[in-house]
Amino acid sequence: MSITIVYTVITLSAIGTLSAVVLYFVAQKFKVYEDPRIDQVEAALPGANCGGCGHAGCRAFAEACVKENDLSNLFCPVGGNECMSGVAGILGLEAVKKDPRVAVVRCNGTCEYRPKTSNFDGATTCAIASSLYSGETDCQYGCLGFGDCVVACDFDAIHMNPVTGLPEVIDEKCVACGACVEACPKMLIELRKKFPKERKIYVACRNEDKGGQARKACQVACIGCSKCEKECAYDAITIANNLAFIDSDKCKLCRKCVSVCPTNAIIEVNFPPRKIQKETTESTTVNQ
Amino acid sequence: MTISPSPHVHTDDSVRKIMYRVVLAMLPALAWSVFVFGVDALRVTLIAVAACMGFEYLIQRFVMKVTPSVNDGSALVTGILLAFNVPADLPWWILVLGAFVAVAVAKLSFGGLGSNIFNPALVGRVFLLISFPVQMTTWPVTKQAAVDATTAATPLGLIKEGILNGKPLNELMGTLPSTSDMLLGNIGGSLGEVSALMLLLGGLYMLWKKVITWHTPVAILGSMFVFGAIFWFVNPEAYLTPVFHLLAGGAMLGAIFMATDMVTSPMTGKGQLIYGVGIGVITMCIRLFGSYPEGISFAILIMNGFTPLINAYVKPKRFGGEK
Amino acid sequence: MPKTAFIPVGQHIGAPAAPVVKKGDKVKTGQVIAQSNGFVSVNIHSSVSGTVKKIDLIPDASGYAKQGIVIDVEGDEWLETIDRSETLVNDFSFTGEEIIQKIKEAGIVGMGGATFPTHVKLVPPKGMKAGLLIINGVECEPYLTSDHRLMLEKADEIVVGTRLLMKALNVEKAVIGIENNKPDAIRLLKEKVAAYPAISVTPLKVKYPQGGEKQLIKAVTGKEVPSGALPIAVGCVVSNVGTAFAVYEAVQKNKPLFERVVTVTGKSVKQPSNFKVRIGTPASELVEAAGGLPDDTGKIISGGPMMGKAVTSLEVPVTKGTSGLLLVPGAEARRDGRMACIRCSRCVTACPMGLEPYLLMTVSEKQIWERAEKERVMDCIECGSCSYTCPSSRPLLDYIRLGKGKVGQIIRSRKN
């Protein structure tokens, strides 16, 4: 019995060793030379393989960095400035600095503000619904609520709110990869500049119909009245096609536009509540 | 106002209606099994059905946490088919175990209805056969058999055992039931396999109602017949007639009810013919050259594994020709 | 006659027409109000006489607003050049080119629902020649009967139209295909073409979608149009009976296309009928004429139940391609819940193009567009047979349409 075991051990060990040697030489012979810096750069990347940089995965991005030897057109939105400076350090190049961005859903047409006028009974995806119909409400630009953006997100950063019927972005998780922007057939989601304390000011509407028509479809639609444009001291607001747009790169978060908008189409997020004017006059009156 | 993409009309048919039609097709064979095996047949059927439907409900509700879909009738069909594949005096706990394997392992763990690769009832049956070979191959006496017998073997079982014990074929032939007995069902075996006639009736009903198409059953039985005929023709002393092979064992049950399960069989007619021929050939190989008396359960499971491959390569005839 | 006509400028396949009138202009019935805007485009004519109220965005059947011309109706004054008499004008001495020119000016498009500009269809691409004209009198969609009525009431005109089309195409043979469920139309048309040995009538098996042009060509000639190719590739040109009738009116009576027959029907409709309707009439007026909107209406379909489009409101106007209005009671208007695919292969059996709808839906849902293209998703004619037969009520056609759209985009971008 034991001699069989000895023979077995010897034979299997011999086969194992022989295979290892053969494989080693074969691997050496067929080895493809790869710049070792690609591995180094890849290690510095977040490894999410989300495609937000425009390349097919982190490895492809690392290859592009090394090959192009110039980082002016290469930026990883998930890793951000920190990651890019790391990559720049490895390659001895200059990294481009970009402001961090966050995805913003520019529609506030909740079930309450924007009544449904029909019921879509087909396969509930935004792509299918928008290719055949303008939506379930009278606003043909608004959110359909079927959640293609939720499905597209790899980072669990966007979810459907069942009460409002609109998607909501979780800022901490959003890496601005752009997947939801691509997925939305109404082009409602935009990558806007990320401000401290997760503050945002944006026009929550993309309705290009004339004011009266837009307002009939949704209570908080932008009617293109231009009050906000006139109010903005920083030239951040433009009006085109009955619709206002706030450029997040120029916006200074002064909130003046929010207070003049007649339909509450401009939204301010994560700001402290304003002091009410009445109280101050009262107090001054009292003090006197 | 509802808006939806076309088409705006839909057939009355549904998964549930298809399943109930299959159940209806199985009733003649079920009735005959009660006639032959008595109340035991009903007991086995009810336990199998209750166990299958019960496990599906419990697992879907509490483990998978989805809305239970027991009322689509597929667990009912699995339960009856499992019952058809076992002896009428099988202990209840073995049956429940088989039902668990059929529903939980072969169907739900693959993703539920439509996602399973292998026929659930057959997986349950083969599991029981391998785990409890004695209980699964000890057949109860039929009501019509001699009063002093305690167990009855199936025709195939008799042959295989006899050959393995060295007896020549012509000696064994005398102990076999007649063709008419096998056709009608005056033989021993599992619940569903005894009466070829009742199974055929069910099969014709399903063909009429377009639940199944002719391709799979004809391919299986045809290839079994041809294979058997070749061997019998060459050496009638050593091999049984092809008609015997068609009527004996689970060939009819397998060809009509088990292999035609839509989820696990190919999607095109041509694919089904290939699938059926494969099953027939493998069955006959096991019967003639293997040590098991009956091979159709294994044959069907093996070909189930080939179904995705068949689907990938056998495409329907495209309108407008190939590109 | 509507009080206000809402005439979209994009009622056809191809570039929408460009308006040539402005607010306040007075127009006559039959006058050109928008001009063809490209190679594949047609003129739009006013179907009413009155004053142009505005040129604005009108919501179409999908709810998206498209450009259209709104006219306040005053009286019914037709252009003097139109022959309004009902007498049959049997003979003609036009050349093929003249016929095509008249068809082009009259703004004729395929009346079966596809609305492809007829004058473009009548000029085969370089190197291809037509050998057979097939007139589509099949009307395979259930509930629709507008073509049937047209064949019964205007059979002579349809035959003249057929001869005109034959001359335009320079073909020597024509076949009128009619499904077997219309024996009176078959009989009548057989009588009418008896005088013309070049034209024959072929009764066809009643099987949806027999009226699809590829299926019709196969049934009549036995030939299959190759994947991705047009019927002209097998030498055939297919035209609807409604188009043949419109051609007759355009060439023999100088009447451009501004009215058509529309079926208004449905289980709860009080007086289901076929109406001769002016283009631009809001659907609500047709429904009133058919006895009013039934209380239990759940869905309104423009077209037939298999391929028609559910509309968002009854203010949608009738266009050149509107073959019917189907009012579906609430109970039948909603789909059943979707279940898993049980691989029953009914969709495969039902597909007239030999495709595998269950597979096309799965790859479209998972966005595997290369696989969708390989599995010939572009061959789909969107007949709806697959979704109809699926016992699990899976929305097969919804996803296949999505796949077609995306793969079409990919193919187009590849060419650039």
Side-chain angles (χ1 to χ4, degrees), chain C residues 127-401:
Chain C
M128 296 199 187
K129 192 182 162 349
L132 175 66
L133 170 70
I134 302 179
I135 300 289
N136 191 345
V138 175
E139 198 161 44
C140 55
E141 283 256 22
Y143 284 106
L144 292 186
T145 49
S146 53
D147 285 354
H148 190 179
R149 277 260 58 94
L150 195 66
M151 285 192 284
L152 290 177
E153 294 184 22
K154 301 281 178 191
D156 289 307
E157 289 86 341
I158 292 174
V159 175
V160 178
T162 309
R163 289 164 46 224
L164 284 164
L165 284 167
M166 286 169 70
K167 188 76 198 275
L169 277 169
N170 197 12
V171 293
E172 320 220 311
K173 251 188 83 170
V175 173
I176 305 181
I178 307 178
E179 262 187 349
N180 275 328
N181 58 3
K182 300 184 246 295
D184 45 3
I186 296 177
R187 225 179 2 248
L188 180 60
L189 276 166
K190 273 195 170 150
E191 270 173 43
K192 302 288 180 185
V193 300
Y196 304 101
I199 310 179
S200 58
V201 175
T202 309
L204 295 166
K205 196 164 83 151
V206 180
K207 184 177 181 353
Y208 183 81
Q210 187 66 281
E213 64 178 4
K214 295 189 177 175
Q215 280 62 40
L216 182 57
I217 292 174
K218 173 140 192 226
V220 168
T221 67
K223 295 190 212 157
E224 286 186 359
V225 177
S227 169
L230 291 168
I232 193 74
V234 291
C236 295
V237 171
V238 182
S239 243
N240 184 273
V241 285
T243 317
F245 178 68
V247 165
Y248 163 82
E249 292 206 304
V251 177
Q252 305 288 66
K253 304 271 181 175
N254 286 322
K255 182 175 162 209
L257 181 57
F258 57 74
E259 60 182 5
R260 67 160 296 151
V261 180
V262 178
T263 312
V264 181
T265 177
K267 286 216 176 94
S268 313
V269 174
K270 295 196 188 70
Q271 292 148 278
S273 342
N274 279 302
F275 296 112
K276 193 174 223 184
V277 185
R278 302 283 173 105
I279 306 287
T281 309
S284 50
E285 299 197 15
L286 281 162
V287 170
E288 278 311 307
L293 186 68
D295 290 324
D296 62 351
T297 302
K299 201 193 275 192
I300 305 165
I301 301 172
S302 164
M306 292 297 284
M307 290 179 76
K309 182 142 181 161
V311 294
T312 45
S313 94
L314 272 176
E315 296 316 306
V316 174
V318 168
T319 62
K320 293 179 181 177
T322 311
S323 45
L325 267 172
L326 180 58
L327 304 173
V328 182
E332 298 168 21
R334 308 229 30 143
R335 298 179 173 186
D336 290 325
R338 141 188 181 175
M339 287 172 60
C341 171
I342 60 169
R343 318 189 81 72
C344 65
S345 74
R346 273 151 209 244
C347 57
V348 180
T349 313
C351 180
M353 299 300 287
L355 304 174
E356 294 174 284
Y358 74 95
L359 182 61
L360 291 174
M361 172 172 167
T362 308
V363 297
S364 295
E365 206 174 353
K366 301 206 185 300
Q367 304 183 6
I368 312 173
W369 309 122
E370 308 83 43
R371 181 78 192 273
E373 192 183 349
K374 201 168 77 127
E375 299 291 344
R376 314 262 283 244
V377 71
M378 297 308 286
D379 280 358
C380 170
I381 60 172
E382 297 185 32
C383 68
S385 305
C386 52
S387 289
Y388 178 84
T389 58
C390 180
S392 295
S393 293
R394 282 171 76 72
L396 297 167
L397 187 55
D398 293 4
Y399 281 96
I400 294 176
R401 252 196 224 105

Side-chain angles (χ1 to χ4, degrees), chain B residues 227-240:
Chain B
F227 199 100
I230 295 174
F231 278 85
W232 173 75
F233 198 67
V234 166
N235 191 353
E237 304 301 312
Y239 297 102
L240 293 157

Side-chain angles (χ1 to χ4, degrees), chain A residues 34-45 58-64 66-67 90-91:
Chain A
E34 260 192 354
D35 193 328
R37 293 180 299 166
I38 299 180
D39 282 329
Q40 291 174 317
V41 171
E42 193 188 358
L45 296 174
C58 298
R59 181 100 192 149
F61 181 73
E63 285 172 6
V66 172
K67 207 170 87 170
I90 295 173
L91 297 176

Side-chain angles (χ1 to χ4, degrees), chain A residues 117-125 127-135 140-141 151 186 209-210 213, chain C residues 56-57 59 61-65 299 309-312 333-336 338 367 395 398-399 401-402 406:
Chain A
T117 50
S118 57
N119 223 319
F120 182 72
D121 198 25
T124 47
T125 70
I128 292 179
S130 72
S131 67
L132 293 168
Y133 292 102
S134 57
Q140 69 178 58
Y141 305 89
V151 170
K186 301 279 191 189
D209 288 337
K210 291 212 196 65
Q213 205 178 341
Chain C
D56 198 9
L57 297 171
S62 67
Y64 285 114
K299 201 193 275 192
K309 182 142 181 161
V311 294
T312 45
R334 308 229 30 143
R335 298 179 173 186
D336 290 325
R338 141 188 181 175
Q367 304 183 6
D398 293 4
Y399 281 96
R401 252 196 224 105
L402 179 69
K406 279 282 173 358

Side-chain angles (χ1 to χ4, degrees), chain C residues 110-128:
Chain C
M111 304 284 276
T115 67
F116 187 78
T118 307
H119 70 272
V120 179
K121 198 188 252 192
L122 292 176
V123 181
K126 253 197 169 47
M128 296 199 187

Side-chain angles (χ1 to χ4, degrees), chain A:
Chain A
M1 253 312 158
S2 54
I3 195 72
T4 321
I5 297 176
V6 170
Y7 281 148
T8 314
V9 170
I10 293 176
T11 321
L12 286 175
S13 310
I15 294 175
T17 318
L18 184 64
S19 309
V21 168
V22 168
L23 282 171
Y24 174 74
F25 280 112
V26 169
Q28 289 300 316
K29 179 161 193 304
F30 289 107
K31 191 179 191 146
V32 173
Y33 174 74
E34 260 192 354
D35 193 328
R37 293 180 299 166
I38 299 180
D39 282 329
Q40 291 174 317
V41 171
E42 193 188 358
L45 296 174
N49 284 318
C50 66
C53 55
H55 292 270
C58 298
R59 181 100 192 149
F61 181 73
E63 285 172 6
C65 288
V66 172
K67 207 170 87 170
E68 285 175 35
N69 217 21
D70 174 11
L71 294 177
S72 45
N73 288 327
L74 291 161
F75 189 81
C76 169
V78 182
N81 288 324
E82 207 182 296
C83 160
M84 287 316 291
S85 55
V87 172
I90 295 173
L91 297 176
L93 298 167
E94 277 276 324
V96 173
K97 280 216 181 311
K98 283 200 187 169
D99 296 321
R101 302 233 146 213
V102 71
V104 173
V105 180
R106 290 179 297 159
C107 176
N108 198 18
T110 65
C111 298
E112 199 195 319
Y113 295 143
R114 185 173 52 125
K116 262 184 25 170
T117 50
S118 57
N119 223 319
F120 182 72
D121 198 25
T124 47
T125 70
C126 306
I128 292 179
S130 72
S131 67
L132 293 168
Y133 292 102
S134 57
E136 291 175 298
T137 62
D138 279 337
C139 172
Q140 69 178 58
Y141 305 89
C143 174
L144 294 163
F146 293 131
D148 278 10
C149 48
V150 179
V151 170
C153 183
D154 279 335
F155 299 92
D156 204 26
I158 186 167
H159 297 281
M160 234 7 145
N161 181 327
V163 174
T164 60
L166 297 172
E168 284 170 3
V169 177
I170 302 172
D171 286 7
E172 303 87 52
K173 291 192 183 170
C174 175
V175 296
C177 69
C180 56
V181 179
E182 279 287 318
C184 178
K186 301 279 191 189
M187 295 182 293
L188 286 172
I189 309 186
E190 189 199 351
L191 292 178
R192 291 175 73 82
K193 178 169 157 188
K194 196 169 187 174
F195 288 99
K197 299 195 193 162
E198 283 154 30
R199 291 185 173 168
K200 300 190 196 88
I201 296 188
Y202 60 97
V203 180
C205 183
R206 288 265 288 136
N207 191 313
E208 295 178 9
D209 288 337
K210 291 212 196 65
Q213 205 178 341
R215 194 77 198 283
K216 254 204 307 203
C218 172
Q219 286 176 38
V220 291
C222 170
I223 53 175
C225 66
S226 311
K227 281 215 182 107
C228 51
E229 188 192 26
K230 293 190 186 81
E231 192 66 25
C232 183
Y234 304 100
D235 238 357
I237 305 187
T238 44
I239 308 275
N241 295 326
N242 303 307
L243 180 66
F245 175 72
I246 302 175
D247 187 341
S248 61
D249 291 310
K250 293 194 183 147
C251 177
K252 301 280 183 246
L253 298 183
C254 72
R255 298 203 275 169
K256 290 230 179 73
C257 52
V258 181
S259 40
V260 296
C261 177
T263 58
N264 290 320
I266 306 186
I267 299 201
E268 60 177 41
V269 181
N270 289 327
F271 285 89
R274 296 160 192 278
K275 289 205 254 300
I276 302 173
Q277 289 295 88
K278 226 168 41 155
E279 259 173 36
T280 17
T281 19
E282 264 177 13
S283 58
T284 42
T285 324
V286 165
N287 281 345
Q288 274 175 340

